[in-house]
Amino acid sequence: MDLKLFGEVFVTLLVIVDPPGMMPIFLALTGPLTARDRNRAAWQAVALALGVIVIFAVAGQTILAYLHVDLPALQAAGGLLLILVALELLTGKSDDPSQQVTSNIALVPLGTPLLAGPGAIVATMLFVQQAGGGVDYLAIGLAIVAVMVTVWVVLRFSGGIVKVLRPGGIEVLTRIAGLLLAAIAVQLIADAIAAFVTQYLNNA
């Protein structure tokens, strides 16, 4: 196995996914849930993210070409989705536990577009395109799995922080996470617009 390629893929995806930065958002979204539901949300989100990344690694170019969708469009869509979630966190609409559904939280926005977002998808597709054979594919696959296991460990054991923060701290953390999420969403949309403009100028 190509350990250098494994390291490159692992570090790149780990930086993009950013488990420490994901923790406050995860805690804000799952704060009202029980420990069991929070743990379930963690593994469901990671499982979905792994599935999405693998699918795009294997057939990403084919899927986007068939749908006539450019990567910037996918990026902008992820940004718009994150804005909706950020508004819920900032306005407090996500604070009511009765409105929380574990599977929904785990799938959107945790699994995608936060974990399996445009950045992770594009990076994986580029690594696959540059791969030279089965050994490289193995290194990329193991690196993806290693990153997702790391993310799961971080999210799985973040529950202890909830006990320390208490409800008041979780509420503050929720507002901060909403602000950070809004900033991430705006950056995604801005990058998508810049990519569209660049593409247009190159084709002109």
Side-chain angles (χ1 to χ4, degrees):
M1 186 179 70
D2 190 342
L3 294 179
K4 181 181 178 182
L5 178 59
F6 174 88
E8 289 178 356
V9 177
F10 179 81
V11 172
T12 300
L13 291 181
L14 197 66
V15 170
I16 293 174
V17 175
D18 187 19
M22 185 66 58
M23 189 183 298
I25 299 173
F26 175 77
L27 292 176
L29 291 171
T30 62
L33 301 179
T34 63
R36 181 179 178 181
D37 287 340
R38 190 181 305 113
N39 294 338
R40 187 192 310 162
W43 77 257
Q44 285 179 342
V46 170
L48 175 66
L50 178 61
V52 170
I53 290 178
V54 169
I55 289 174
F56 274 94
V58 175
Q61 291 288 359
T62 304
I63 294 173
L64 294 181
Y66 177 77
L67 297 175
H68 302 289
V69 173
D70 293 328
L71 287 175
L74 186 66
Q75 193 169 1
L80 291 174
L81 183 60
L82 290 184
I83 283 182
L84 295 177
V85 178
L87 289 176
E88 287 188 358
L89 293 177
L90 288 171
T91 58
K93 291 183 179 179
S94 64
D95 291 345
D96 185 2
S98 64
Q99 300 298 320
Q100 297 282 7
V101 181
T102 306
S103 60
N104 288 350
I105 296 171
L107 302 181
V108 179
L110 289 177
T112 181
L114 287 176
L115 292 179
I121 290 173
V122 172
T124 304
M125 290 172 60
L126 290 176
F127 277 120
V128 170
Q129 287 178 358
Q130 298 168 3
V135 176
D136 288 349
Y137 292 138
L138 176 62
I140 294 172
L142 291 178
I144 294 173
V145 172
V147 169
M148 289 299 124
V149 170
T150 303
V151 172
W152 177 81
V153 170
V154 172
L155 298 183
R156 170 65 177 78
F157 294 101
S158 63
I161 300 177
V162 175
K163 299 178 181 179
V164 176
L165 292 178
R166 305 292 183 180
I170 290 294
E171 184 176 352
V172 173
L173 186 64
T174 299
R175 303 298 180 263
I176 296 174
L179 183 61
L180 294 175
L181 203 56
I184 294 172
V186 171
Q187 187 63 56
L188 282 174
I189 295 174
D191 291 343
I193 293 174
F196 275 125
V197 172
T198 302
Q199 185 177 1
Y200 175 77
L201 292 176
N202 291 336
N203 293 334

